[in-house]
Amino acid sequence: MSGFRLLLAQVASILLVARVVGWLFGRIGQPRVIGEMVAGILLGPSLLGWLAPALSHALFPPESLGFLESLSQVGLLLFMFLVGLELDPKQLRESGRAALAISLASIALPFALGWLLATWLHPRVAGPGVPLLGFALFMSVAMSITAFPVLARILTERGLLRSKVGVVAITCAAVDDVAAWTMLAAIVVLIRATELALPWWLALLGLAAFALVMLTIVRRGARRFAADFERRGGALSHGSLAWILLLALASAWVTESLGVHAVFGAFLAGIVMPRHEGLSKEIWKRFESVTVVLLLPVYFAFTGLRSSFGLAAGGSMALYTLLIIVVAIAGKWGGALAAARCTGLSWRESAAVGLLMNTRGLVELIILNIGLDLGILSPALFSAMVLMALVTTFMTSPLLHWILPRRSDTPSL
């Protein structure tokens, strides 16, 4: 089969399985995106490669994965741009002491527990030549992540977005994401220091300078998109859409060139876009049909092809996987729950906030893929961490329904 025909067959298969599994997950009360994440895993060695190795090799031969990876990376960049677009800096600035305290606790405790776990895991599972400092830093940040987009979808589907629990959780998740991505950017530069043409400190300074330019000069220039949108009576012109895409791609190119990762640039491009409700909705409408429906399932499938739960469940690795899941839940849920209770929320509300903050979803998969690409995570540890991301995300909806049944949802603000 020619390369192009094979790529078409791969994308069609991924899309079909993602839609079917996503629909099934929707039937059991889970967000469709979680089903699509699972669908990607099922297409990899964990299921298809185990049940039908000949079919798996014929459909996803190793030499063809480069094309699939490139397609998935485009989708990833567009998605990270949309994540940045959803974050509202004004909401972060106006977050009360409760949200700030919960955010700090939901980062500090999992970070500390992740560090302790990493120091214990390093001699047992880290690949050769992986330094303890880089390994511990990466694992700590990976434990501290909350999936802002999945969290927002869960809250929206349950009608909790404007409730006390929803507002606190979504604000904390936004703060967590900004803090975690900032820490991760610095860590990636430090880990890739030997590969960079520039000294690591100069790369960090360059990154800080670029972020400053984006948040000041480029942000002011981006206001023209909102003005043009208003001038056209709420319509986004093809020209504006092209410039928005160019902004996201150019920003991604700069951060990739600085030795960080292209996703940081795309995320930053979304943050500097004007906070105009109509414009944001129109951009989401234009991008969602391609990014969420087509390209993200390809990214899930590419992640699934790199994962093998057999590696995570064999021998002593099974114990390590269980320990990773327990530490991830204890750190994120425990830290947010305790902080929420100390700020005056009820035990039920605090447990709900902690559970929501424990949602990791796609954002965790993005970070884990970065770790695998950098050589920080071995294939076995990568698979274990992917399983942790799926467990902590899957458990959110059913436990939230138990903690906050619809008849006793917290009142809206």
Side-chain angles (χ1 to χ4, degrees):
M1 188 181 298
S2 68
F4 183 62
R5 284 194 298 151
L6 180 59
L7 180 63
L8 292 177
Q10 290 171 340
V11 173
S13 302
I14 292 167
L15 194 57
L16 175 62
V17 175
R19 299 309 293 176
V20 171
V21 178
W23 177 81
L24 290 174
F25 270 59
R27 299 290 294 176
I28 61 173
Q30 290 281 357
R32 182 183 292 272
V33 66
I34 300 178
E36 293 172 352
M37 289 169 57
V38 173
I41 304 299
L42 298 180
L43 288 169
S46 299
L47 185 66
L48 182 62
W50 175 58
L51 291 177
L55 175 60
S56 176
H57 187 271
L59 188 58
F60 299 106
E63 63 273 12
S64 72
L65 297 186
F67 300 106
L68 206 61
E69 179 182 13
S70 298
L71 190 60
S72 71
Q73 291 300 313
V74 173
L76 177 60
L77 294 182
L78 294 178
F79 176 75
M80 287 306 298
F81 170 76
L82 293 177
V83 172
L85 183 68
E86 278 200 334
L87 290 179
D88 188 351
K90 182 180 178 182
Q91 186 183 44
L92 303 188
R93 290 192 299 267
E94 295 177 352
S95 59
R97 287 185 299 173
L100 180 60
I102 297 169
S103 298
L104 291 175
S106 66
I107 293 175
L109 184 58
F111 192 95
L113 293 180
W115 188 283
L116 293 175
L117 178 63
T119 57
W120 185 78
L121 285 176
H122 183 264
R124 295 168 173 83
V125 299
V130 177
L132 173 59
L133 179 60
F135 182 79
L137 285 171
F138 185 88
M139 287 290 291
S140 299
V141 172
M143 289 290 188
S144 306
I145 282 294
T146 294
F148 179 85
V150 175
L151 175 61
R153 185 170 300 190
I154 291 173
L155 290 171
T156 300
E157 290 183 359
R158 283 188 48 80
L160 288 171
L161 195 58
R162 296 299 303 164
S163 69
K164 183 194 301 185
V165 167
V167 170
V168 170
I170 203 71
T171 304
C172 292
V175 174
D176 276 23
D177 267 14
V178 172
W181 283 108
T182 302
M183 290 189 294
L184 186 62
I187 291 168
V188 170
V189 170
L190 293 175
I191 292 172
R192 295 178 64 178
T194 57
E195 306 172 11
L196 298 177
L198 301 173
W200 66 267
W201 59 269
L202 194 55
L204 281 177
L205 282 177
L207 181 62
F210 175 67
L212 183 61
V213 170
M214 289 288 288
L215 293 171
T216 54
I217 299 173
V218 177
R219 168 175 281 173
R220 284 197 292 269
R223 293 172 185 166
R224 296 178 180 177
F225 296 128
D228 182 67
F229 182 79
E230 291 284 355
R231 224 176 14 251
R232 293 176 175 273
L236 184 64
S237 68
H238 289 170
S240 292
L241 185 61
W243 281 111
I244 290 170
L245 281 170
L246 283 171
L247 173 63
L249 295 177
S251 181
W253 182 87
V254 171
T255 55
E256 180 72 24
S257 300
L258 287 171
V260 191
H261 195 286
V263 297
F264 298 101
F267 179 68
L268 188 57
I271 288 178
V272 303
M273 288 293 296
R275 261 48 200 172
H276 185 288
E277 186 177 356
L279 176 62
S280 297
K281 285 183 177 180
E282 184 64 20
I283 293 174
W284 256 101
K285 181 181 177 181
R286 296 287 189 94
F287 282 25
E288 186 179 25
S289 56
V290 174
T291 304
V292 176
V293 176
L294 176 63
L295 297 180
L296 277 188
V298 173
Y299 184 80
F300 295 143
F302 182 71
T303 301
L305 291 168
R306 308 176 90 185
S307 310
S308 176
F309 290 164
L311 296 175
S316 58
M317 197 63 207
L319 174 62
Y320 303 154
T321 302
L322 179 61
L323 188 59
I324 287 170
I325 294 173
V326 171
V327 169
I329 295 173
K332 203 68 179 175
W333 195 350
L337 185 153
R341 186 70 185 106
C342 290
T343 57
L345 272 69
S346 69
W347 279 111
R348 186 184 291 271
E349 292 169 339
S350 301
V353 169
L355 178 63
L356 289 164
M357 296 301 291
N358 189 49
T359 306
R360 287 177 171 84
L362 170 59
V363 178
E364 182 76 16
L365 296 187
I366 295 170
I367 289 180
L368 296 181
N369 275 285
I370 292 174
L372 185 62
D373 291 336
L374 292 174
I376 301 172
L377 302 180
S378 65
L381 184 55
F382 173 77
S383 300
M385 294 290 285
V386 168
L387 185 59
M388 177 272 289
L390 292 176
V391 170
T392 55
T393 305
F394 185 84
M395 64 188 283
T396 301
S397 287
L399 288 181
L400 184 64
H401 180 72
W402 176 63
I403 294 172
L404 284 182
R406 292 187 183 275
R407 64 179 180 277
S408 60
D409 282 344
T410 52
S412 297
L413 292 178

